[in-house]
């Protein structure tokens, strides 16, 4: 068993709002191995984006108040800003959700895609540009040489996202973090981009963290996944196992509430009752318990830890940790 | 795809059987709270309020406190420094400086606030109509505003002063504070209308406007009930920031001899008159100048505080 | 809500399965202005010759990607947008160019639910005012009766009636969407256009709203035009589905049939692109990946609009526009070389 490439240990990130302090990332621990694609799944406010931003030390105005992010023997939460800048873009690259705003409208696309190599590899403008052109070609932009001279507004959403991916890959990073990379795109374009990410993962061997709220995307892309809720990991494990037998009521209920394209009959959906948690005023004990169909008395008192449940999975749930199977009508 | 803010302060605990918690907060009361928390802004606002109060109480102050009137010429006491009889000294005609400053406040502040109000009414209406209806009406109105804004204000003011047109029963002349206010408003409403129109364009395509239309609301209802309350904040902020500019405009007019004419006192004309006496009675220049400066600064600070209060997102 | 309102309605009551809304060769073109003088240099062919029929009591799903015109079609049917050509019939009456009093009466029959729960509620009004506005505009009730109706509507959509005094920003996305639904119901409509009502909501809330919409439909005998880009949801909630691309109708079929035997290549690729939350299924799937991006609605391709991305396109596709042809039971598709059954 080789060393994990990236190891997050008990990470805590907070930020302040008018109503109080929000624990955006509340004790998150996971590993990323070389070459694998890890999915982080959750809804808005669950902390998945903040986790990624914290790894990149881009969490401001939030503050990392605890834990470690071990990467190549260094704790990224403790290195200097200068050292972090060396790592960002060169070793760990990130692509964002909204392709419309993640590219600077006043610079040509090729120039922007070449920026990481100019910064990190010290290449001159010409060399960086030609490498950008070749990378744009590899991510599937037709006539890359001439398109690289275009400005972002001349690119469609899908193409911009490809350009972002190209930009992330020019320095052949070890880790690629993709934060909702296809959420803002049409579904046929989404399929293209996901396909591209799969190819990239195969061809370059880049380990990928894929952050999304779409369980279908995770099912097709990730070997392992973690599910987040209210700043904590509630379930983790191999994708096939988590989908086949989820060990946390949240995951279990979520899977049952999504309409499936290949459903044979029209069964009424079984929604998760209640509202998403108020991050400033979290419920006592397990944050999910007010909405949980399986809760017991202990759930409202004590916060469950993420422990092994079954052979390959982990879940933070008193009920499943005590051996109860999740079943329902 | 919309991504709701990372922190959703949704009502805690679930729906139908839920109990009530903190009282409902309208946008206006929330803004007021934010404003109250801004110390500098509140201090500035308080200062202006104080000046307005003093200006309004001018006759009372003249009679019971200062015991002088602003026109009282006393050639035996010209250029006297601050003393028991004249707390801030006298000017070239022996008139009490303090009471003249108070009456000057009345004049200057009337011009400023009245002008801004008229500007707001005219500019706001034009902006609302142009923005809401669009099309040729928008084009016509905005081209008119463009022309208005390209004429140097000074020429327009001079023209109006010379022509002294009548609007209804009111004769416009620069010597009367109220008509001066209207004249300045005529020249400056253009900028405000552009601002309002811009804000209207941002709002009118929001879904809630379309939703109101879809349930059958008439145009009038859309403009008055939906558009106006959402544009009001911008209008108020722009108006309060304009007050300072107009005080300065009034001073400039006095400087070139077109504004309020002596012996009626305004801060601007006191400043102008005193420039000849700068070397031996410097306080005659400094006092009105300082008041102008302080008031303009205070209104600007207050205006900024208002903007932050109404739209806190702009800050971060 | 069961009480009949006293205000004027358009025509007589309608029975299930009669045609409620009928759209014939509808075109909606938006001018593109350019230059200092804002001259019209071209048109966006948002909706370019669409036929659609919606029967009373059913839910018709309308899907397509950005630029396909589905939102425009929905808004034109409910007459928030003026059609450029073609006709719209509602309960047998031609409403293509209604104005004034008749248009107002129409606003009581048709309502709309919007996508963005954060922009579709006036932030300066209370929830009660927002829901009460349709009641006021159509003078359906006053005073205490009005208050009762507002409270009842809040209850019907699953919210605490005491929330009527609060402001929209105090609620979450899902709750705001419920308020929007309550507003739509306040006019007591027969037909509701749902324009992407759940796209902006969290996944765990989407199911709540879908169920709510289905319950309301059976309780109040509503007819829906459900516009969305998520085919999984549309298939779940719709009786029939219409697929649009660049302003034209590509395929219309009952929901189950559309999934099992799509005829149009675009539908096929759309279906294969949708991720299914099941790793075993996902890994086995055959994807029909399209090349390139959606073409511009200002200058659509000649002949079949889809031909530039279609894996089955041939020369004929550029020469002639394929008409909507029947493929059996209520199944229509516009393609010269359709997919096999």
């Amino acid at each position: 068993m080789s060393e994990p490439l990236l190891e997050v240990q008990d990470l805590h990130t907070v930020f302040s709002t008018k109503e109080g302090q929000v624990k955006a990332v509340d004790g998150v621990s996971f590993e990323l191995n070389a070459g694998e694609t890890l999915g982080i799944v959750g809804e808005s406010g669950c902390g998945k984006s903040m986790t990624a931003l914290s790894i990149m030390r881009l969490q401001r105005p939030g503050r990392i108040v605890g834990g470690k992010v071990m990467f190549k023997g260094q704790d990224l939460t403790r290195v200097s800003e200068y050292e972090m800048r060396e790592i960002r873009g060169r070793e760990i690259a990130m692509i964002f959700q909204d392709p419309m705003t993640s590219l600077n409208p006043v610079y040509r696309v090729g120039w922007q895609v070449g920026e990481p190599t100019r910064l990190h590899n010290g290449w001159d403008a010409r060399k960086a540009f030609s490498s950008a052109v070749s990378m744009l070609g590899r991510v599937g932009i037709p006539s890359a040489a001439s398109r690289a001279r275009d400005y972002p507004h001349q690119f469609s959403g899908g193409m911009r996202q490809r350009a972002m991916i190209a930009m992330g890959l020019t320095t052949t990073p070890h880790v690629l973090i993709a934060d909702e990379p296809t959420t803002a795109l049409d579904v046929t374009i989404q399929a293209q981009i996901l396909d591209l990410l799969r190819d990239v993962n195969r061809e370059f061997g880049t380990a990928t963290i894929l952050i999304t709220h779409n369980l279908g995307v995770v099912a097709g892309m990730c070997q392992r996944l973690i599910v987040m809720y209210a700043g904590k990991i509630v379930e983790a494990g191999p994708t096939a196992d988590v989908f086949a037998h989820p060990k946390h009521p949240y995951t279990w209920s979520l899977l049952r509430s999504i309409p499936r394209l290949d459903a044979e009959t029209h069964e009424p959906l079984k929604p998760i009752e209640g509202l998403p948690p108020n991050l400033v005023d979290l419920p006592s004990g397990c944050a999910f318990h007010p909405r949980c169909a399986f809760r017991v008395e202990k759930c409202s008192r004590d916060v469950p830890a993420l422990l092994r449940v079954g052979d390959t999975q982990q879940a933070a749930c008193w009920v499943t940790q005590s051996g109860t199977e999740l079943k329902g009508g | 795809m919309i991504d709701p803010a990372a922190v959703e302060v949704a009502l805690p605990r679930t729906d139908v059987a839920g109990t009530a918690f903190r009282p409902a907060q309208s946008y206006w009361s929330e803004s007021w709270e934010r404003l109250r928390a801004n110390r500098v802004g509140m201090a500035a606002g308080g200062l202006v309020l104080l000046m307005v109060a003093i200006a309004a109480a001018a006759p009372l102050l003249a009679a019971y406190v200062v015991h002088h009137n602003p026109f009282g010429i006393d050639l035996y006491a010209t250029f006297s420094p601050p003393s028991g009889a004249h707390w801030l000294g006298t000017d070239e005609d022996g008139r009490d400086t303090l009471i003249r400053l108070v009456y000057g406040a009345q004049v200057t502040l009337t011009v400023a606030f009245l002008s801004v109000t008229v500007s707001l009414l005219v500019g706001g209406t034009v902006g609302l109509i142009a923005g809401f209806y669009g099309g040729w009406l928008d084009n016509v109105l905005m081209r008119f505003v463009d022309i208005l804004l390209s004429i140097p204000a000074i020429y327009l003011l001079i023209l109006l002063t010379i022509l002294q047109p009548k609007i209804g029963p009111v004769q416009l002349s620069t010597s009367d504070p109220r008509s001066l206010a209207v004249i300045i408003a005529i020249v400056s409403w253009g900028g405000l209308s552009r601002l309002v129109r811009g804000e209207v364009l941002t709002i009118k395509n929001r879904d809630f406007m379309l939703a109101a239309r879809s349930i059958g609301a008439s145009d009038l209802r859309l403009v008055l009930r939906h558009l106006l309350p959402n544009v009001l904040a911008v209008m108020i902020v722009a108006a309060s920031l304009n007050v300072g500019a107009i005080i300065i405009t009034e001073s400039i007019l006095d400087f070139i001899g077109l504004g309020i004419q002596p012996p009626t006192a305004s801060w601007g004309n006191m400043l102008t008159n005193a420039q000849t006496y700068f070397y031996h009675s410097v306080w005659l220049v400094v006092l009105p100048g300082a008041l102008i400066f302080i008031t303009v600064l205070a209104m600007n600070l207050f205006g900024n505080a208002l903007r932050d209060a109404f739209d806190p997102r702009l800050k971060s | 809500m069961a009480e009949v309102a006293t205000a004027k309605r358009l025509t007589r009551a309608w029975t299930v399965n009669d045609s409620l809304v009928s759209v014939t060769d509808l075109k909606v073109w938006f001018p593109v202005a350019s230059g200092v003088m804002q001259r019209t240099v071209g048109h966006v062919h948002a909706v370019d010759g669409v036929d659609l029929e919606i029967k009373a009591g059913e839910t018709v799903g309308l899907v397509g990607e950005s630029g396909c015109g589905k939102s425009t079609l929905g808004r034109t049917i409910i007459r928030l947008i003026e059609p450029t050509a073609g006709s719209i019939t509602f309960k047998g009456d031609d409403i293509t160019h209604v104005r004034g009093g008749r248009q107002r009466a129409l606003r009581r029959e048709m309502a709309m639910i919007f996508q963005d729960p954060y922009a579709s509620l006036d932030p300066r009004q209370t929830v009660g005012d927002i829901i009460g506005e349709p009641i006021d505009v159509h003078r359906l009730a006053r005073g205490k009766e009005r208050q009762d109706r507002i409270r009842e509507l809040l209850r019907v959509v699953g919210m605490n009636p005491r929330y009527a005094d609060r402001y929209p920003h105090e609620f979450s996305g899902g709750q705001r969407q419920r308020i929007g639904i309550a507003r739509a119901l306040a006019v007591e409509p027969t037909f509701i256009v749902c324009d992407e009502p759940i796209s902006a909501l969290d996944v765990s809330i989407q199911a709540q709203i879908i169920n709510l919409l289905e319950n309301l439909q059976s309780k109040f005998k509503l007819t829906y035009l459900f516009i969305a880009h998520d085919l999984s949801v549309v298939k779940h909630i719709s009786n029939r589905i219409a697929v649009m691309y660049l302003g034209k109708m590509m395929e219309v079929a009952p929901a189950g049939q559309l999934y099992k035997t799509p005829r149009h290549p675009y539908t096929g690729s759309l279906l294969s692109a949708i991720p299914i939350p099941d790793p075993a299924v996902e890994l086995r799937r055959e994807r029909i990946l399209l090349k390139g991006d959606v073409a511009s609605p200002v200058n659509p391709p000649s002949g079949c609009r889809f031909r530039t991305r279609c894996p089955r396109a041939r020369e004929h596709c550029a020469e002639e526009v394929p008409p909507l042809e029947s493929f059996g039971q209520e199944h229509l598709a516009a393609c010269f070389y359709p997919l096999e059954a």
Side-chain angles (χ1 to χ4, degrees):
Chain A
M1 273 277 279
S2 52
E3 281 267 305
L5 188 56
L6 180 72
E7 199 175 337
V8 175
Q9 295 169 359
D10 197 34
L11 186 64
H12 288 265
T13 304
V14 302
F15 64 89
S16 312
T17 66
K18 193 177 80 173
E19 280 86 14
Q21 199 183 62
V22 171
K23 295 195 191 135
V25 182
D26 196 10
V28 165
S29 307
F30 63 88
E31 298 171 354
L32 178 69
N33 298 308
E36 77 170 337
T37 304
L38 173 73
I40 305 184
V41 179
E43 300 173 287
S44 52
C46 72
K48 55 193 195 296
S49 279
M50 256 320 202
T51 306
L53 291 171
S54 302
I55 293 174
M56 296 282 276
R57 286 265 296 273
L58 292 171
Q59 78 287 352
R60 264 190 291 180
R63 293 186 325 273
I64 301 177
V65 295
K68 297 186 186 174
V69 177
M70 301 306 295
F71 178 69
K72 288 175 122 184
Q74 284 185 303
D75 179 3
L76 295 184
T77 62
R78 292 214 173 12
V79 299
S80 70
E81 180 60 24
Y82 176 75
E83 288 171 298
M84 196 62 219
R85 276 207 300 271
E86 296 282 293
I87 294 175
R88 278 188 212 124
R90 172 194 265 161
E91 316 256 10
I92 306 181
M94 189 157 172
I95 58 181
F96 299 90
Q97 170 176 349
D98 188 358
M100 295 302 152
T101 54
S102 30
L103 284 172
N104 189 330
V106 302
Y107 292 109
R108 296 183 204 267
V109 173
W111 191 92
Q112 291 185 60
V113 174
E115 198 169 4
T117 46
R118 284 197 307 276
L119 275 175
H120 293 293
N121 301 3
W123 292 356
D124 65 45
R126 184 172 307 224
K127 190 171 179 196
F129 194 84
S130 73
S131 122
V133 168
S134 90
M135 192 57 80
L136 285 171
R138 281 172 93 175
V139 298
I141 299 210
S143 326
S146 65
R147 291 315 302 250
R149 303 190 61 74
D150 282 342
Y151 287 90
H153 68 265
Q154 297 169 277
F155 273 38
S156 70
M159 286 172 70
R160 282 187 225 196
Q161 205 60 314
R162 288 177 192 270
M164 287 298 297
I165 293 172
M167 183 153 65
L169 294 173
T170 44
T171 50
T172 53
H174 297 276
V175 179
L176 179 68
I177 303 180
D179 189 358
E180 307 256 22
T182 55
T183 306
L185 302 173
D186 281 326
V187 80
T188 51
I189 310 293
Q190 171 174 287
Q192 291 176 357
I193 299 294
L194 291 176
D195 211 54
L196 173 63
L197 284 172
R198 263 189 292 257
D199 286 342
V200 156
N201 176 258
R202 227 180 5 241
E203 201 179 313
F204 289 83
T206 338
T208 309
I209 298 179
L210 182 61
I211 299 169
T212 177
H213 62 265
N214 188 324
L215 286 168
V217 167
V218 165
M221 294 286 299
C222 309
Q223 293 98 28
R224 283 193 309 126
L225 68 88
I226 63 180
V227 181
M228 287 185 72
Y229 189 84
K232 291 179 144 54
I233 299 181
V234 294
E235 177 149 12
T239 312
D241 293 340
V242 173
F243 274 83
H245 28 79
K247 298 292 186 196
H248 192 282
Y250 175 58
T251 322
W252 183 86
S253 320
L254 206 56
L255 285 168
R256 284 155 59 91
S257 74
I258 307 175
R260 277 178 64 147
L261 195 59
D262 54 349
E264 290 287 329
T265 54
H266 178 282
E267 298 264 321
L269 301 172
K270 300 179 184 64
I272 303 181
E273 294 306 324
L275 298 171
N278 181 347
L279 294 171
V280 176
D281 185 15
L282 284 172
S284 58
C286 169
F288 185 64
H289 87 259
R291 308 170 78 185
C292 183
F294 299 94
R295 66 172 177 270
V296 296
E297 214 247 309
K298 187 172 189 184
C299 303
S300 60
R301 280 195 332 254
D302 306 322
V303 179
L306 187 67
L307 297 174
R308 172 137 295 175
V309 180
D311 295 323
T312 53
Q313 293 163 262
Q314 296 173 300
C317 175
W318 297 123
V319 173
T320 53
Q321 280 168 8
S322 63
T324 316
E325 288 277 315
L326 296 178
K327 278 199 269 276
Chain B
M1 294 302 261
I2 323 288
D3 187 32
V7 182
E8 275 205 285
V9 194
L11 300 171
R13 319 294 171 252
T14 49
D15 301 38
V16 189
T19 48
F21 335 85
R22 31 169 248 272
Q25 278 233 295
S26 77
Y27 174 68
W28 303 106
S29 58
E30 256 194 25
S31 302
W32 168 242
E33 268 186 25
R34 277 194 290 265
L35 183 63
R36 262 202 343 207
N38 185 335
R39 299 251 178 89
V40 172
M42 286 302 280
L47 186 63
V48 173
L49 208 59
L50 183 65
M51 293 213 197
V52 169
I54 291 177
L60 294 174
L61 285 171
Y64 298 112
V65 179
V66 181
H67 304 294
H68 293 285
N69 82 65
F71 300 106
I73 296 182
D74 181 1
L75 293 170
Y76 291 112
T78 60
F79 297 115
S80 47
S83 66
H86 294 278
W87 296 351
L88 287 178
T90 60
D91 66 1
E92 72 277 10
D93 287 332
R95 295 175 292 207
D96 179 63
T97 305
L98 175 58
I99 198 61
R100 279 181 66 81
L101 284 174
V102 171
Y103 270 89
Q106 204 179 61
V107 167
T108 302
L109 292 176
T110 303
V111 170
F113 284 103
L114 183 59
S115 169
V116 156
T117 308
V118 173
S119 222
L120 203 58
L121 285 171
V122 177
T125 310
V126 169
L128 271 174
I129 294 176
F132 183 74
Y133 285 105
W136 63 267
L137 188 57
D138 180 22
N139 264 332
V140 163
L141 286 172
M142 284 301 117
R143 295 297 83 77
F144 178 69
V145 167
D146 284 341
I147 293 171
L148 189 64
L149 287 174
S150 359
I151 301 175
I154 287 297
Y155 291 138
L156 211 51
L157 285 163
I158 294 175
L159 202 64
L160 284 168
T161 313
I162 294 173
L163 288 181
Q164 305 222 334
K166 289 180 80 122
I167 295 186
V170 178
Q171 170 106 43
L172 285 184
S173 81
T174 53
S175 46
D176 170 31
R178 279 164 299 171
S179 53
L180 180 62
V182 171
I183 290 176
I184 295 180
I186 289 174
V187 166
S188 61
W189 65 263
L192 206 62
S193 74
R194 274 238 199 103
L195 190 72
V196 170
R197 173 184 175 271
E199 193 68 13
V200 167
L201 289 178
T202 316
I203 294 174
K204 85 168 174 174
N205 289 319
R206 295 230 178 113
D207 276 353
F208 71 82
M209 293 289 290
L210 198 58
R213 212 187 274 275
S214 78
I215 51 128
S218 62
D219 279 354
L220 188 65
R221 192 187 175 95
L222 280 169
V223 171
L224 289 179
R225 280 209 77 170
H226 291 282
L227 201 55
L228 188 56
N230 280 289
V231 173
L232 211 52
V234 167
M235 289 167 77
I236 292 175
V237 170
S240 47
L241 290 173
N242 268 350
V243 169
I246 293 186
I247 293 176
I248 305 236
T249 306
E250 192 259 318
S251 314
I252 293 176
L253 284 177
D254 293 331
F255 195 77
I256 58 175
L258 280 180
I260 306 287
Q261 302 299 324
T264 311
S266 85
W267 290 346
N269 73 17
M270 287 173 73
L271 187 59
T272 308
N273 286 340
Q275 45 168 349
T276 5
Y277 311 113
F278 183 80
Y279 285 107
H280 68 83
S281 301
V282 71
W283 67 89
L284 288 177
V285 172
V286 168
L287 286 170
L291 280 173
I292 292 175
F293 172 73
I294 291 172
T295 312
V296 172
L297 181 64
M299 271 317 285
N300 282 347
L301 287 172
F302 185 63
N304 277 331
L306 270 181
R307 179 193 285 138
D308 290 340
F310 280 133
D311 209 349
R313 288 169 286 145
L314 285 179
K315 241 179 161 176
S316 45
Chain C
M1 274 280 297
E3 294 82 50
V4 174
T6 49
K8 226 169 33 146
R9 282 186 166 265
L10 204 56
T11 50
R12 66 197 191 290
W14 219 247
T15 52
V16 178
N17 275 324
D18 288 333
S19 168
L20 188 68
V21 175
S22 185
V23 169
T24 314
D25 198 32
L26 191 67
K27 293 193 170 80
V28 183
W29 290 3
F30 297 116
V32 175
S34 177
V36 178
M37 294 312 291
Q38 297 290 298
R39 206 156 291 158
T40 305
V41 295
H43 285 93
V44 174
H45 299 242
V47 176
D48 211 5
V50 164
D51 298 313
L52 184 64
E53 194 171 305
I54 303 172
K55 296 197 273 280
E58 76 169 336
T59 300
V60 172
L62 187 55
V63 296
E65 296 175 297
S66 31
C68 72
K70 57 189 193 294
S71 243
T72 309
L73 179 60
R75 290 173 188 207
T76 309
I77 289 178
I78 135 172
R79 299 288 294 102
L80 283 174
I81 299 178
E82 279 288 314
T84 311
S87 75
I88 310 167
T89 327
F90 180 74
K91 284 187 176 179
D93 293 326
D94 186 340
I95 61 163
T96 321
H97 297 291
V98 278
R99 294 215 164 269
R102 285 192 69 211
Q103 191 178 38
R104 260 179 133 210
L106 192 64
R107 295 262 169 266
R108 280 208 62 207
E109 305 265 3
M110 298 180 164
M112 187 154 172
I113 300 170
F114 296 83
Q115 170 177 5
D116 184 357
Y118 294 87
S120 57
L121 303 178
D122 186 341
R124 307 277 179 271
Q125 290 199 299
T126 60
V127 167
D129 285 336
I130 291 171
I131 298 177
E133 187 168 18
I135 298 176
D136 295 335
V137 164
H138 296 281
R139 293 188 253 269
L140 299 177
R142 311 183 77 137
K144 180 162 187 309
E145 201 197 328
R146 177 181 177 277
Q147 286 302 102
D148 289 340
R149 280 196 190 217
I150 293 174
R151 274 194 269 269
E152 176 64 27
L153 283 164
L154 279 169
R155 252 190 292 267
V156 157
V157 299
M159 286 188 70
N160 189 330
R162 290 162 78 181
Y163 291 169
D165 299 322
R166 296 182 175 275
Y167 288 84
H169 67 264
E170 303 179 61
F171 296 98
S172 67
Q175 289 174 311
R176 285 190 218 207
Q177 209 60 316
R178 290 174 192 260
I179 297 168
I181 293 172
R183 171 177 57 195
L185 291 175
V187 294
E188 295 160 7
T190 347
F191 175 64
I192 301 187
V193 173
C194 309
D195 190 356
E196 307 251 24
I198 58 169
S199 321
L201 302 177
D202 275 329
V203 177
S204 64
I205 305 296
Q206 287 184 5
Q208 290 181 9
I209 303 296
I210 294 171
N211 280 5
L212 174 65
L213 287 172
E214 289 189 312
N215 290 338
L216 292 172
Q217 181 174 39
S218 62
K219 185 167 174 172
F220 296 118
K221 315 261 184 299
L222 301 168
T223 306
Y224 288 148
L225 177 65
F226 193 89
I227 303 171
H229 60 264
D230 185 345
L231 245 185
S232 317
V233 172
V234 173
K235 177 170 175 285
H236 174 86
I237 198 176
S238 313
N239 302 107
R240 290 187 302 133
I241 301 178
V243 180
M244 278 182 79
Y245 185 82
L246 270 191
K248 277 186 145 356
M249 202 64 85
M250 297 285 118
E251 186 162 4
V252 184
Q257 257 188 58
L258 192 84
Y259 175 69
K260 286 212 185 68
T261 53
R263 291 300 189 166
H264 199 284
Y266 178 56
T267 315
S269 55
L270 206 58
L271 287 167
S272 82
I274 295 175
I276 294 183
D278 185 334
V281 172
E282 275 291 296
L283 291 171
R284 277 199 318 255
R285 278 174 98 183
E286 240 182 69
R287 291 197 194 279
I288 309 171
L289 278 184
L290 296 179
K291 291 204 193 324
D293 295 303
V294 184
S296 153
V298 181
N299 258 327
S302 62
C304 174
R305 306 263 159 125
F306 183 60
R307 64 176 174 81
T308 53
R309 302 173 79 196
C310 183
R312 298 166 72 89
R314 294 183 225 170
E315 289 129 35
H316 187 202
C317 302
E319 293 156 14
E320 209 186 311
V321 178
L324 268 177
E325 277 171 14
S326 174
F327 284 83
Q329 285 239 307
E330 297 199 338
H331 193 146
L332 304 164
C335 182
F336 292 126
Y337 307 102
L339 301 170
E340 276 83 58

